[in-house]
């Protein structure tokens, strides 16, 4: 069993302050494959102190030099990409091919995108022609605590660590204790890249331990968190006493509005999106709203996709979905599937229990419900498993009303050949992101939501600004050449 009972603090791998070991479970086998240590207050304090000590020098480092460090990180990350992918296969159940492409690939994609955005970033900007000598300066916040989830580990780690250090902050990362090994490999990447001591630090721990310690620490200036809405609320409350900045990227219950004139692949595409990563994506389109003339046909298509979706060990080759991340998550999904049945939704594929022929591992049957109403539990709660709820609508206005009738507001989807209708709905849907006709977000666009999905903006220029404070300056001498 791999031994990762160490933390990365002040440019070195260090022993924990006290022994507090935790096995990391492979969800395909239900067996431990690695062991980590959970940090104590002394470990958190040590990491924060290292970051605080490093901040004056790092924040004063020329942007071009910070950029060169990140370009080196990208080079080494790509060399270690398969190692990072394999870690995610074992820790959170992403099938090998998907882990090496989608999961690990998300990290290199985001690093590349931040490099592009940073090259053109203006740290000093005139307020406008109407106010000569008035400038807006973008400056680092300070010590930033980063708390990342288990479902897309490198996606979230790179969306936080890279812009934070590019902006001139120093960081302490607490990855999910359920899936921490890919972050340990990521720390090895940053160590090899030669970042100055204290710029990047990693302490493993759980939410009530290191997570709370970072959220309440007086020397931490910002917390960036991705995870459940429940945990995000707790972090916000914990951080209030120290008046630190809190950026939250939380859950979702995306609506996918499918009109009768949608392209022939719309339902298949939407159903596969729900099942991708075993349903463990906050932006999954888990509520499919279908115009009534097309409703029964859509149900049959979704049923066929579910029945054709293979489920197997994350270590197996081939196109399939793996397990969900943990026993706790599996049990939650099973309870919600049963709740759907009990509340009267029509089960058309999948259902409770393990897939046929499986007797170990946290595997969930790809499940489709029809005749769902928006007051049912499966339409209200984020299931975070391969479960699709289908419901009919009769008018555009009703579709918008159903889609917006949720506490969440992360990503919604629209499928129609009517361009004017696509545009109307894109503005009427209350969400941070709207995707139409299978077209993904443009490179460098921001990821984030509204309402209970949090209001962080991660990625591109907005992701850089998230980790900076703006300063208003009047009387600026524009004749003097000034470094950023």
């Amino acid at each position: 069993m791999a031994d990762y009972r160490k933390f990365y603090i002040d440019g070195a791998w260090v022993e924990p302050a006290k022994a507090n070991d935790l096995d990391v479970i492979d969800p395909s086998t239900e067996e431990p494959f690695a062991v980590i240590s959970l940090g104590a207050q002394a470990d958190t304090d040590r990491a924060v102190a290292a970051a605080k000590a490093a901040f004056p020098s790092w924040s004063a480092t020329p942007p071009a030099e910070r950029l060169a460090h990140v370009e080196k990180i990208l080079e080494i990350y790509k060399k270690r990409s398969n190692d990072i992918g394999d870690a995610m296969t074992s820790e959170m159940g992403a099938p090998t091919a998907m882990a090496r492409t989608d999961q690990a690939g998300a990290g290199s994609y985001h690093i590349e995108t931040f490099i592009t955005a940073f090259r053109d970033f203006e740290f000093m900007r005139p307020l406008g022609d109407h106010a000569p000598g008035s400038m807006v300066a973008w400056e680092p916040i300070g010590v930033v605590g980063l708390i990342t989830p288990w479902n897309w580990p490198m996606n979230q780690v790179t969306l936080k660590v890279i812009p934070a250090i590019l902006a001139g902050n120093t960081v302490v990362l607490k990855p999910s204790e359920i899936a921490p090994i890919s972050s340990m490999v990521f720390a090895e990447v940053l160590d090899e890249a030669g970042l100055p001591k204290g710029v990047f630090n990693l302490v493993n721990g759980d939410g009530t331990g290191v997570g709370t310690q970072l959220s309440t620490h007086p020397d931490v200036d910002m917390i960036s968190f991705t995870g459940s809405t429940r945990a995000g609320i707790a972090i916000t409350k914990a951080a209030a006493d120290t008046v630190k900045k809190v950026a939250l990227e939380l859950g979702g219950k995306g609506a996918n509005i499918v009109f009768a004139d949608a392209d022939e692949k719309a339902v298949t595409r939407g159903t596969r999106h729900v099942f991708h990563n075993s349903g463990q994506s906050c932006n999954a389109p888990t509520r499919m709203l279908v115009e009534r003339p097309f409703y029964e046909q859509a149900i049959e298509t979704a049923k066929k996709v579910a029945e054709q979706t293979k489920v197997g060990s994350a270590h197996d080759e081939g196109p399939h979905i793996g397990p969900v991340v943990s026993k706790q998550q599996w049990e939650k999904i099973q309870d919600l599937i049963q709740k759907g049945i009990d509340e009267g939704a029509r089960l058309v594929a999948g259902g409770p229990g393990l897939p046929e022929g499986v007797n170990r591992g946290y595997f969930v049957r790809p499940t489709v419900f029809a005749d769902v109403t928006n007051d049912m539990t499966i339409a209200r709660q984020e299931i975070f498993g391969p479960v699709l709820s289908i419901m009919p609508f009769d008018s555009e206005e009703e579709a918008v009303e159903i889609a917006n009738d949720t506490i969440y507001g992360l990503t919604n989807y629209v499928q129609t050949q009517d361009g004017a209708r696509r545009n109307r709905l894109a503005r009427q849907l209350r969400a941070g992101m709207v995707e139409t006709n299978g077209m993904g977000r443009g490179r460098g666009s921001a990821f984030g939501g509204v309402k209970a999905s949090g209001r962080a903006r991660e990625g591109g220029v907005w992701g850089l600004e998230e980790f900076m404070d703006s300063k208003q300056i009047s009387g600026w001498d524009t004749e003097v050449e000034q470094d950023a």
Side-chain angles (χ1 to χ4, degrees), residues 419-470:
R421 182 158 59 192
R422 287 200 308 273
N423 292 351
R424 280 195 304 274
L425 266 65
R427 298 306 304 273
Q428 293 171 8
L429 293 170
R430 292 201 64 197
M433 301 170 285
V434 177
E435 298 183 12
T436 70
N437 288 2
M439 181 177 292
R441 291 173 295 111
R443 191 179 185 96
S445 63
F447 187 100
V450 298
K451 301 195 290 184
S453 293
R455 284 180 164 80
R457 292 295 180 267
E458 298 188 321
V461 172
W462 297 271
L464 291 166
E465 291 179 349
E466 190 81 272
F467 290 97
M468 297 188 201
D469 285 326
S470 61

Side-chain angles (χ1 to χ4, degrees), residues 140-152:
I141 291 172
V143 176
V144 179
L146 309 175
I147 304 175
T148 56
W150 45 258
N151 60 319
W152 285 90

Side-chain angles (χ1 to χ4, degrees), residues 65-378:
E65 190 174 327
R66 298 201 297 266
L67 179 62
H69 278 290
V70 171
E71 289 173 333
K72 184 66 174 178
I73 290 169
L74 175 62
E75 175 189 337
I76 299 167
Y77 183 98
K78 287 182 174 180
K79 288 195 302 184
R80 297 293 306 275
S81 183
N82 283 353
D83 296 335
I84 292 169
D86 291 347
M88 290 185 282
T89 292
S90 295
E91 69 188 4
M92 52 78 58
T96 299
M98 181 263 194
R100 291 183 172 185
T101 54
D102 294 4
Q103 288 275 5
S108 54
Y109 172 88
H110 290 311
I111 299 172
E112 290 168 352
T113 302
F114 282 125
I115 287 171
T116 300
F118 191 74
R119 285 185 178 134
D120 298 325
F121 192 85
E122 294 181 278
F123 289 89
M124 294 291 294
R125 309 173 193 175
L127 182 61
D129 293 340
H130 68 287
S134 291
M135 301 291 289
V136 180
W138 288 89
E139 299 181 346
I141 291 172
V143 176
V144 179
L146 309 175
I147 304 175
T148 56
W150 45 258
N151 60 319
W152 285 90
M154 282 302 103
N155 182 75
Q156 291 307 133
V157 167
T158 53
L159 275 172
K160 297 183 189 299
V161 172
I162 299 303
I165 63 176
L166 277 172
N169 303 286
T170 54
V171 305
V172 180
L173 170 65
K174 187 208 84 66
S176 168
E177 72 278 14
I178 298 174
I181 306 306
S182 57
S183 290
M184 299 293 277
V185 180
F186 182 78
E188 293 172 1
V189 169
L190 269 64
D191 182 57
E192 184 179 345
L195 276 180
K197 293 180 178 181
V199 172
F200 170 82
N201 307 273
L202 181 151
V203 179
N204 281 314
D206 57 20
T208 58
V210 175
T212 299
Q213 292 159 17
L214 287 172
S215 301
T216 58
H217 203 292
D219 290 333
V220 172
D221 300 289
M222 174 183 174
I223 290 288
S224 177
F225 169 78
T226 299
S228 71
T229 299
R230 174 197 56 76
I233 292 169
I235 285 170
T236 302
K237 292 178 179 178
D241 288 343
T242 49
V243 201
K244 53 174 56 67
K245 179 177 181 178
V246 177
L248 304 175
E249 199 280 284
L250 307 175
K253 194 69 182 176
N256 186 9
I257 303 176
V258 183
F259 288 89
D261 70 341
D263 68 88
E264 62 181 9
K265 296 180 180 178
V267 173
T268 297
R269 182 172 62 239
T271 306
R272 286 176 176 167
H273 191 171
V274 172
F275 297 159
H276 188 58
N277 202 39
S278 302
Q280 299 170 127
S281 299
C282 53
N283 64 340
T286 52
R287 293 181 297 151
M288 183 178 286
L289 283 52
V290 182
E291 193 170 14
R292 198 172 295 276
F294 185 53
Y295 182 63
E296 291 298 335
Q297 182 179 337
I299 292 169
E300 287 304 309
T301 300
K303 178 177 185 289
K304 183 177 180 181
V305 172
E307 291 173 345
Q308 292 177 343
T309 300
K310 297 179 181 179
V311 182
S313 169
H315 303 282
D316 291 345
E317 297 292 338
H320 63 282
I321 65 173
V324 296
V325 74
S326 66
K327 182 178 181 180
Q328 180 182 16
Q329 186 66 16
W330 187 88
E331 290 175 344
K332 173 194 171 187
I333 295 166
Q334 297 303 309
D335 288 345
L336 286 167
I337 290 174
Q338 188 59 51
K339 193 78 168 178
I341 296 169
D342 294 344
E343 292 184 358
R346 176 169 33 130
L347 181 65
V348 297
L354 290 168
E356 186 177 349
V358 174
N359 60 13
R360 62 183 293 175
Y362 308 126
F363 298 98
V364 177
R365 300 169 68 190
T367 297
V368 175
F369 283 104
D371 303 344
V372 176
T373 58
N374 219 32
D375 59 348
M376 291 181 179
T377 303
I378 57 173

